[in-house]
Amino acid sequence: AGEFLVLPVAANAKIHAGALVAVNASGYAAPGSTATGLRSAGRAEEQVDNSGGADGAKNVTVRRGVFKFKNSGADPVGTAHVLGDCYIVDDETVAATDGTGTRSKAGKVLAVDTDGVWVEIK
């Protein structure tokens, strides 16, 4: 696989450009959320609205690589987490822990800034 993936979008999902995208257990792209069984796919390169659509009715282009996402206020990623895993809170936020088994892995923490977390998704 290359730097970009074109993924079928889950039924009734709306994915915003720049959002953290995950693939659900059925293999369809959806916005990142607090859930188990998701596989982090990357960052959406476009907005795709599949509201009212069936699984796979639309596709989204996702870029893999290193991206900055918001840091969780309740479960913040810190410098001690660099080169460790971080976890999906929503389509723009990551956290330090899996929330007692409620969150899926987002990717590897490469750096933590005052305004976000650099996450490697590959």
Side-chain angles (χ1 to χ4, degrees):
E3 181 181 0
F4 292 97
L5 299 174
V6 177
L7 301 170
V9 177
N12 297 310
K14 184 173 184 177
I15 298 172
H16 297 281
L20 195 161
V21 176
V23 174
N24 64 26
S26 300
Y28 293 98
S33 62
T34 296
T36 58
L38 300 178
R39 294 180 303 278
S40 185
R43 185 188 70 194
E45 292 296 290
E46 59 191 340
Q47 178 172 303
V48 175
D49 188 350
N50 197 28
S51 300
D55 280 339
K58 293 189 177 181
N59 291 321
V60 63
T61 300
V62 175
R63 181 189 294 260
R64 298 177 65 78
V66 179
F67 310 103
K68 186 187 282 188
F69 295 108
K70 291 181 181 176
N71 201 347
S72 169
D75 186 9
V77 177
T79 304
H81 299 104
V82 171
L83 296 182
D85 294 331
C86 63
Y87 298 85
I88 303 169
V89 174
D90 58 34
D91 68 353
E92 63 180 6
T93 310
V94 295
T97 71
D98 69 1
T100 320
T102 60
R103 299 182 191 125
S104 298
K105 187 171 87 168
K108 291 282 183 210
V109 176
L110 294 190
V112 181
D113 292 342
T114 55
D115 63 343
V117 180
W118 290 95
V119 180
E120 180 181 42
I121 302 171
K122 62 177 190 173

